Amino acid sequence: MSKHILVTSALPYANGSIHLGHILEAVQTDIWVRFQKLIGNECYFFCADDTHGTPIMIAAKKAGKTPESMIEEVQKEHYKDLTSFGVEYDNYYTTNSEENRKFSESIYLTLKKNGHIVARNIEQSYCEHDKMFLPDRFIKGTCPKCGAKDQYGDSCEVCGTSYSPKDLKDSYCSICGTTPVLKESKHLFFKLQDFQNQLKTWMEEGNRLNEGAQKKLQEWFTSGLQEWDISRDGPYFGFAIPEEENKYFYVWLDAPIGYMASSLNHLKDEKKFNEFWKDGKGEIVHFIGKDILYFHGLFWPAMLMGSGYKAPNQLNVHGFLTVNGEKMSKSRGTFINASTFAKHLDIEHFRFYMACRLGSGMEDVDISFDDFVSRVNSDLIGNLVNLVSRVSTSILDKMDRKLGSLSVEGKSLVSELLSKETEIRDAYESRNYSKVMREITGLGDKVNKYVNDYAPWNLIKTDVEKAREVVTTSLNCAKILFTYLAPVTPKIALAIKELFQVPALNFLNLSETIENKILGPYQMLSKRVEEKNISLMISETKEAFEKSNPSPSKQEPNKSNTNETKVNTVFEDGFITIDELSKVELRVGLIKEANPVDGADKLLFVKVDLGEKGIKNVFAGIKASYTAEELVGKKVVVVANLKPRQMKFGLSEAMLLASGKEKTLSLFVPDRDANPGDLLK
């Protein structure tokens, strides 16, 4: 029996352009939805723009527009960019809709009636210049933990610490620069703790969450679930809270309700809507990034549970997109907008490469442009596309474009490809797309070997019918391979369908062979990646950033300022001062955990206890000299104040000291008893 599935991806915020990070999630979701449809399931794909909040209101004011007109323009731009990457929505809506307002009010009033809402006064940061309470993201200051400047009011982007805006040092309003004051205001809270047992049961059922996401949620259960502030003071662009004065729903309350609004807007039929959201006759599947797991894994299902709706069946959580092993950067030209990529490169190449990189966990996904060029040109073009082009162009023309019958050998090769169907289906279902790509390219290698062994371009000169037999086998294998690949490269799959003159390429007709049939004309399926186009794309991104962020003009030094001195880190004679040395904080660390890093030949991931400095995560290139097991319990010397670095595999927060060559490294260890956190002098 076919399944009935409602799928959503996270809602892009209507205060910026779509970039490759958004596209990663949209493509991951689209591949899964297309697969479900290709195996015969009824599957809907809904999304919307997230349109409420103070940032939208202020951005519209700066642009001289109303919030409504601005979000309408942005929604059109978002939809154009997302769909240009082959993402096919059944409905792409907006959270600023009548359906969303009604659902938000109804859910809130039900929660309130059932005793899950409480009101109390809290102190908040208030800007007396702008006459408004400041959301966390409109307060900046110095991180209370690591001292990084210009950090947001809720978390530090350098060390990752979360905190209250009141904890920030030297805080200021990010709109006008004024120092905020504390002011009391009545706020409304959702009692999340009322649902602790229900949420724990929900979280642990079946395959609702991947292991990493479940462990992360478990941390919040261990520390105890807290009440959630769901109100904001006016002025605020959003829905007014019923039965309250000058209070508005916090954007994170009505944003996920946008999934429901988009569903009803498309389905129209309330009975069909309830099959998914109330009756449990259909499945609800969300795709999100790990940065919003807290909202989707706790608040959202609890809201649904408390208001008579069904919590999601699956929560599929992915990591961030990095470029060349680092966070996307506007100044380096790697914070790439979707429209810029589509201007210079083939979007199906991005879809293919992301599928090669995406597993079922929530590890970060890296796009290395060197690897991108190599993987696309070798696996997609050289292996799969070339398999079709080399036997369906001039060779097939010489046979009047007519296929023959499959030989015994041909049927055996086709059967070998079909035998992988269950394995490929399971990998798609579990979102292990990288496994799917490995299987497909491995099968492609076998078919290409078959073609090379027979060399039909030579065979046709002496035995036309034998050449026809080889071509028939090759193209029947290609039909299977591109059906397997169809969720990833729908545009290429469409061209293959037209070449083979079949109604559709799907898993339901996978085993149907194409024999004794005239094929349509060959259309170019895809071209190789040109490295110059990548350079052009990065240059354009950098230029756009530099244009909008001009560097300050160089000024002559003020010679009258006697306090201004030039500081050298290393003097011309190669020495440093004692002051420079004192900046390096060397401490004793106790290795608490050590594990290999998937996909890394040289790295081990270790957790190092630095006493009062806490536990630091370190990616250390010592795998050739140490096993993970022998590291646990070892005391080492650590550079404790190294600026955290976002690597391909995660954030590295310190460095272990070692000497020697790669395979004979020796870690620095304390000679006598030392405690974790002890400072080296």
Side-chain angles (χ1 to χ4, degrees):
M1 290 179 62
S2 64
K3 293 182 180 179
H4 307 281
I5 311 170
L6 188 157
V7 182
T8 72
S9 56
L11 314 183
Y13 197 48
N15 192 29
S17 297
I18 297 294
H19 54 71
L20 292 188
H22 295 113
I23 298 296
L24 161 68
E25 178 174 289
V27 164
Q28 183 190 36
T29 314
D30 185 73
I31 290 172
W32 199 79
V33 169
R34 286 180 182 273
F35 165 71
Q36 297 298 334
K37 292 179 178 179
L38 289 172
I39 63 174
N41 288 333
E42 178 189 50
C43 191
Y44 297 98
F45 184 8
F46 298 130
C47 196
D49 257 17
D50 181 6
T51 59
H52 290 154
T54 309
I56 300 291
M57 181 179 70
I58 292 173
K61 185 177 180 181
K62 286 182 178 178
K65 301 175 182 177
T66 64
E68 290 81 4
S69 64
M70 191 188 85
I71 62 174
E72 186 178 352
E73 291 172 12
V74 172
Q75 186 202 19
K76 290 176 181 176
E77 178 196 320
H78 282 183
Y79 181 74
K80 179 183 177 183
D81 287 345
L82 289 161
T83 54
S84 74
F85 276 74
V87 180
E88 194 171 69
Y89 300 102
D90 288 284
N91 194 40
Y92 191 87
Y93 204 38
T94 172
T95 58
N96 192 46
S97 68
E98 186 62 17
E99 295 97 331
N100 206 18
R101 183 185 65 78
K102 288 181 178 178
F103 278 129
S104 298
E105 290 180 357
S106 171
I107 288 172
Y108 164 77
L109 290 172
T110 303
L111 292 172
K112 183 179 178 181
K113 179 183 176 183
N114 293 336
H116 302 304
I117 303 294
V118 64
R120 67 170 182 270
N121 286 355
I122 63 168
E123 276 192 331
Q124 273 190 291
S125 296
Y126 183 83
C127 179
E128 293 185 320
H129 177 271
D130 293 308
K131 305 298 180 189
M132 63 182 288
F133 286 98
L134 296 173
D136 297 345
R137 287 263 147 176
F138 278 78
I139 306 169
K140 282 192 169 184
T142 301
C143 172
K145 181 178 181 182
C146 73
K149 297 185 182 301
D150 298 321
Q151 297 305 306
Y152 288 111
D154 55 354
S155 63
C156 176
E157 292 186 331
V158 175
C159 70
T161 302
S162 296
Y163 42 70
S164 165
K166 292 187 290 185
D167 298 330
L168 269 182
K169 299 176 182 177
D170 306 319
S171 61
Y172 60 91
C173 169
S174 63
I175 305 168
C176 67
T178 302
T179 300
V181 298
L182 292 177
K183 197 171 181 180
E184 273 204 350
S185 173
K186 172 189 171 185
H187 270 235
L188 301 164
F189 293 82
F190 172 48
K191 296 165 69 177
L192 182 63
Q193 65 272 27
D194 289 356
F195 299 89
Q196 175 134 347
N197 292 334
Q198 284 176 264
L199 284 170
K200 203 167 190 331
T201 300
W202 171 84
M203 179 187 77
E204 294 171 351
E205 285 176 345
N207 62 343
R208 199 178 309 280
L209 292 151
N210 61 44
E211 185 180 356
Q214 192 172 121
K215 283 182 178 178
K216 189 63 184 175
L217 283 183
Q218 190 63 53
E219 291 177 16
W220 288 311
F221 280 102
T222 302
S223 60
L225 301 185
Q226 304 297 314
E227 292 178 347
W228 177 38
D229 189 345
I230 60 167
S231 63
R232 291 295 183 267
D233 296 278
Y236 192 83
F237 180 55
F239 296 135
I241 299 179
E243 303 173 358
E244 298 291 338
E245 185 178 343
N246 199 33
K247 302 292 178 186
Y248 294 82
F249 288 124
Y250 174 42
V251 60
W252 264 110
L253 182 133
D254 68 71
I257 295 173
Y259 301 141
M260 302 171 76
S262 187
S263 306
L264 184 60
N265 179 259
H266 175 80
L267 296 171
K268 308 298 182 190
D269 181 3
E270 194 169 323
K271 181 182 177 184
K272 184 74 173 176
F273 172 88
N274 286 338
E275 286 181 5
F276 289 105
W277 293 100
K278 282 195 172 182
D279 304 337
K281 294 179 181 178
E283 297 180 14
I284 298 171
V285 178
H286 296 314
F287 283 77
I288 62 165
K290 62 183 179 182
D291 55 325
I292 54 176
L293 173 60
Y294 196 69
F295 297 102
H296 283 78
L298 297 175
F299 297 131
W300 174 231
M303 281 168 51
L304 293 169
M305 292 170 182
S307 55
Y309 291 101
K310 194 190 82 169
N313 297 79
Q314 280 186 45
L315 200 56
N316 299 323
V317 189
H318 63 81
F320 299 133
L321 180 70
T322 59
V323 180
N324 296 330
E326 299 179 314
K327 287 178 68 175
M328 293 193 296
S329 163
K330 292 181 179 179
S331 61
R332 290 194 300 269
T334 57
F335 195 97
I336 299 164
N337 283 342
S339 57
T340 309
F341 187 100
K343 177 180 175 182
H344 294 284
L345 295 165
D346 188 331
I347 59 93
E348 291 223 323
H349 291 172
F350 181 84
R351 291 177 65 102
F352 178 82
Y353 186 73
M354 283 297 98
C356 290
R357 303 291 295 164
L358 277 162
S360 55
M362 59 179 196
E363 299 81 11
D364 290 346
V365 183
D366 187 59
I367 177 169
S368 158
F369 282 118
D370 288 340
D371 186 46
F372 174 82
V373 172
S374 173
R375 190 79 64 101
V376 171
N377 287 348
S378 174
D379 292 349
L380 179 61
I381 308 300
N383 185 335
L384 301 170
V385 169
N386 193 43
L387 171 62
V388 177
S389 62
R390 68 202 303 210
V391 297
S392 63
T393 50
S394 59
I395 296 175
L396 201 54
D397 288 340
K398 293 173 183 176
M399 304 173 187
D400 299 323
R401 303 200 63 75
K402 186 176 181 181
L403 299 183
S405 300
L406 285 170
S407 63
V408 173
E409 184 183 14
K411 289 177 181 177
S412 175
L413 187 55
V414 165
S415 295
E416 185 177 354
L417 268 62
L418 290 173
S419 70
K420 289 288 185 178
E421 180 186 358
T422 300
E423 198 171 339
I424 286 172
R425 279 189 181 225
D426 290 344
Y428 266 128
E429 186 69 49
S430 63
R431 306 168 317 285
N432 192 354
Y433 303 156
S434 59
K435 177 177 171 57
V436 175
M437 297 300 103
R438 289 195 300 272
E439 294 294 339
I440 293 173
T441 53
L443 294 173
D445 288 336
K446 291 183 178 181
V447 181
N448 274 298
K449 183 180 183 304
Y450 168 83
V451 175
N452 291 335
D453 288 347
Y454 279 104
W457 45 88
N458 293 327
L459 192 59
I460 196 171
K461 299 171 185 176
T462 57
D463 190 341
V464 173
E465 292 310 309
K466 183 61 178 177
R468 192 190 310 273
E469 178 188 299
V470 173
V471 170
T472 300
T473 297
S474 304
L475 290 179
N476 271 276
C477 288
K479 172 183 172 289
I480 296 168
L481 293 174
F482 280 98
T483 300
Y484 287 156
L485 194 62
V488 178
T489 56
K491 186 179 173 184
I492 294 176
L494 179 61
I496 292 287
K497 177 184 83 73
E498 292 173 353
L499 171 67
F500 292 156
Q501 306 282 290
V502 294
L505 281 186
N506 58 48
F507 284 75
L508 304 180
N509 65 10
L510 185 68
S511 60
E512 293 178 10
T513 57
I514 307 170
E515 299 178 80
N516 303 306
K517 181 176 182 178
I518 295 176
L519 299 192
Y522 175 79
Q523 307 171 46
M524 181 176 285
L525 302 178
S526 186
K527 295 191 294 186
R528 292 171 62 84
V529 182
E530 296 287 346
E531 291 189 30
K532 65 179 182 181
N533 291 338
I534 292 175
S535 298
L536 287 170
M537 175 183 69
I538 292 173
S539 295
E540 183 175 319
T541 303
K542 286 178 70 173
E543 288 169 10
F545 170 75
E546 289 166 0
K547 187 176 180 180
S548 58
N549 297 272
S551 57
S553 57
K554 294 182 180 179
Q555 298 178 356
E556 287 294 320
N558 184 357
K559 295 180 181 179
S560 63
N561 186 351
T562 56
N563 293 324
E564 184 178 345
T565 59
K566 182 180 179 182
V567 178
N568 288 319
T569 302
V570 181
F571 293 99
E572 292 180 3
D573 58 7
F575 292 104
I576 63 173
T577 67
I578 190 68
D579 292 332
E580 294 299 328
L581 177 61
S582 67
K583 292 179 182 178
V584 182
E585 188 178 310
L586 299 177
R587 291 186 181 272
V588 175
L590 174 65
I591 296 180
K592 306 288 285 186
E593 294 181 29
N595 294 288
V597 180
D598 290 341
D601 296 330
K602 300 179 181 179
L603 295 179
L604 289 176
F605 173 64
V606 298
K607 288 182 176 288
V608 187
D609 184 359
L610 296 176
E612 293 182 358
K613 289 285 184 178
I615 293 177
K616 300 266 189 178
N617 295 332
V618 182
F619 287 91
I622 57 175
K623 190 174 180 181
S625 300
Y626 291 90
T627 65
E629 292 77 14
E630 69 181 295
L631 288 175
V632 177
K634 189 181 289 292
K635 290 178 181 177
V636 292
V637 177
V638 180
V639 181
N641 64 337
L642 193 67
K643 183 177 180 180
R645 178 187 173 200
Q646 182 65 47
M647 300 178 69
K648 173 181 177 181
F649 304 99
L651 189 71
S652 190
E653 301 174 297
M655 178 183 287
L656 309 186
L657 293 188
S659 63
K661 297 182 179 179
E662 181 180 338
K663 294 185 179 179
T664 58
L665 286 173
S666 177
L667 287 167
F668 286 7
V669 297
D671 178 46
R672 298 179 181 176
D673 287 344
N675 297 315
D678 283 356
L679 186 66
L680 274 69
K681 299 178 181 178

